[in-house]
Amino acid sequence: MSFSGRKFSVSKGPSASELQSNIHKQFRNAHEGHRPHAGLDPSRASTGVVWCTERAIEHGFSGSPDAWANLGQGAPEVDDDIEGSFERPHNINVSMAAREYGPTAGIKPFRVAIANLYNAHHREGKDSKYSWENVAVVPGGRAGLIRIAAVLNNAYLGFFIPDYTAYNEMLSLFKNFAAVPSPLSLEDGYHIHPEKIAEEIARGTSVILTSNPRNPTGQVVKNPELAQIQDICRDRCTLIMDEFYGGYNYTSDCDGKTVSAADNIVDVDDDDVLLIDGMTKRFRLPGWRVAWIVGPKEFIKAIGSCGSYLDGGTNVAFQEAAIPMLEPNLVMKEMKALQTHFKVKRDYVLGRLEELGFKFRNVPDSTFYIWLDLSSLPAEINDGLNFFQKCLEEKVIVVPGIFFDLNPAKRRDLFDSPCHHFIRLSYGPRMETLKLGLDGIERIVKK
């Protein structure tokens, strides 16, 4: 059934298109299959990236990972080979304090360093500055999101499609708010306009969650529109900004500037804006699981306290080791090197894909993702799941777009999803991995 170009499922069971595809049946079974253990719901066990990795393991990925091109994992390269980038620690000193339980909100020196970084890069010349009490350290971005969700009041929480796959699990865990999806337009480059935010607030949304820069589309909302969005939300709505990709910003000639809503906050304790970032993406240390939330003191106090019953806090030794990495001048130099290096990789991947006939409505201007439209390919490979299956046969891992249409299997037929004819492709890995993966994609397309 079609209405103004949008599709709506009309039957409760899978369509004929789904039933003819083994990979679609496998996806359905993973999310709605039988439950051999009375207390287990296996559909809650993994995000889209993990599910894709599990399928790759079935094809031999774990036995010979170096022979594969993993363009699905949302992680940057972690080597010390980027020109102009500082060398990461190879050994960590474990102090006596690090042997003890650490504060669930993080150790004070690290929180001071984070506040100082934000003040230097985003609060220069402003009266209202962040202090260490405006910072909570958390063991990774997902843990940060879960802590925030745990302290939210009864509310309508608005989020946008497509967006980060782990939001799906986080949004389904808690009953203190109702999650309300809002699809963005492909024709508009999945852009979040201030008018869109005003519409959400007008229909009763009091919390808005979004990534910016945006995963998976590789687009960023920057000033002056970002400032307009914050003005609309001020005193009306809590704004949760996932800013993990803020350093991967290619809109300012790779000058090292990081995109953050911290630029536009009037009062750090009055503006209901929570910022999530960490060492994972822009400092290229995903294995450390060190992240932070910056926001009003009252929010941060609650977020820090709830860690005592949710996750227990962040590794103290890694917090201590991260402190010198947050010196503002060092970070600016690091971001310049990061942006220059990843922009070269982005341009290489886009060029290879364009040679294969792929078209791009909007060139990604941030993150290290490409939201690749497959609709021009032959029918047997022009949806994300079937293309993913063909990639596995070439030892390439990508992420089907269906995982970014949050909770799709329970809302409509998979083929009706606006994300179904897309994949997310990461240019986070090293260049030789990108070449290997694109060679595999070229073989698929040319077949």
Side-chain angles (χ1 to χ4, degrees), residues 28 129 211 383 408:
R28 279 281 187 187
K129 306 280 191 183
S211 59
D383 66 81

Side-chain angles (χ1 to χ4, degrees), residues 129-170:
K129 306 280 191 183
Y130 288 114
S131 76
W132 65 274
E133 294 175 290
N134 293 107
V135 181
V137 182
V138 291
R142 294 173 184 84
L145 289 167
I146 289 172
R147 284 202 196 186
I148 292 172
V151 302
L152 290 178
N153 200 349
N154 293 329
Y156 288 118
L157 183 150
F159 64 97
F160 302 100
I161 296 173
D163 214 325
Y164 176 40
T165 63
Y167 292 168
N168 194 44
E169 285 68 35
M170 186 272 287

Side-chain angles (χ1 to χ4, degrees), residues 318-329:
F318 284 132
Q319 292 182 66
E320 291 174 340
I323 292 171
M325 299 184 203
L326 299 190
E327 194 281 318
N329 291 328

Side-chain angles (χ1 to χ4, degrees), residues 187-403:
E187 288 71 22
D188 197 26
Y190 303 103
H191 192 67
I192 301 177
H193 293 281
E195 293 79 11
K196 184 73 170 177
I197 299 296
E199 289 174 6
E200 292 300 303
I201 295 174
R203 67 172 177 165
T205 300
S206 56
V207 180
I208 290 176
L209 166 66
T210 185
S211 59
N212 190 52
R214 296 191 50 72
N215 175 9
T217 61
Q219 304 295 327
V220 66
V221 181
K222 58 185 189 296
N223 286 333
E225 279 192 310
L226 180 58
Q228 293 170 14
I229 287 171
Q230 291 176 245
D231 289 342
I232 292 169
C233 290
R234 189 170 290 112
D235 299 326
R236 299 181 182 92
C237 176
T238 296
L239 190 59
I240 305 169
M241 301 294 288
D242 178 345
E243 297 187 337
F244 268 93
Y245 299 95
Y248 296 86
N249 165 38
Y250 317 122
T251 67
S252 54
D253 296 324
C254 300
D255 61 359
K257 290 180 181 176
T258 299
V259 175
S260 177
D263 288 327
N264 309 312
I265 287 170
V266 175
D267 189 300
V268 299
D269 288 317
D270 286 342
D271 283 27
D272 267 0
V273 180
L274 299 173
L275 313 174
I276 314 173
D277 198 356
M279 306 300 293
T280 307
K281 306 296 185 185
R282 62 179 172 133
F283 292 92
R284 300 188 296 111
L285 292 168
W288 282 28
R289 311 308 300 148
V290 175
W292 55 75
I293 302 167
V294 176
K297 290 177 184 176
E298 193 171 2
F299 247 119
I300 294 301
K301 183 178 180 180
I303 289 168
S305 296
C306 73
S308 62
Y309 64 82
L310 285 174
D311 53 56
T314 309
N315 184 293
V316 173
F318 284 132
Q319 292 182 66
E320 291 174 340
I323 292 171
M325 299 184 203
L326 299 190
E327 194 281 318
N329 291 328
L330 178 67
V331 173
M332 183 64 74
K333 181 181 177 182
E334 177 70 16
M335 293 304 101
K336 289 180 182 179
L338 184 84
Q339 292 164 7
T340 301
H341 180 77
F342 275 78
K343 185 176 182 292
V344 169
K345 293 199 296 180
R346 180 203 69 176
D347 293 345
Y348 169 77
V349 174
L350 288 174
R352 285 285 305 270
L353 292 170
E354 286 174 339
E355 289 174 2
L356 294 175
F358 290 100
K359 305 295 183 184
F360 297 94
R361 291 172 181 260
N362 303 97
V363 173
D365 57 15
S366 55
T367 76
F368 45 76
Y369 299 124
I370 293 172
W371 186 238
L372 188 61
D373 187 351
L374 308 174
S375 58
S376 63
L377 296 177
E380 60 270 24
I381 57 169
N382 75 353
D383 66 81
L385 284 168
N386 275 313
F387 192 84
F388 164 74
Q389 180 68 40
K390 292 296 183 183
C391 282
L392 293 182
E393 296 171 10
E394 298 292 342
K395 297 185 177 181
V396 179
I397 305 173
V398 296
V399 181
I402 196 75
F403 287 106

Side-chain angles (χ1 to χ4, degrees), residues 65-122:
D66 291 340
W68 284 66
N70 187 352
L71 309 185
Q73 183 68 47
E77 56 183 286
V78 298
D79 306 80
D80 291 319
D81 299 334
I82 295 178
E83 184 178 352
S85 176
F86 66 80
E87 188 172 0
R88 272 55 176 169
H90 294 266
N91 298 286
I92 300 294
N93 178 55
V94 181
S95 67
M96 291 301 294
R99 298 183 185 183
E100 303 280 359
Y101 284 124
T104 55
I107 60 173
K108 183 177 177 180
F110 188 42
R111 296 167 72 184
V112 168
I114 295 166
N116 179 52
L117 176 63
Y118 276 79
N119 289 334
H121 284 185
H122 304 291

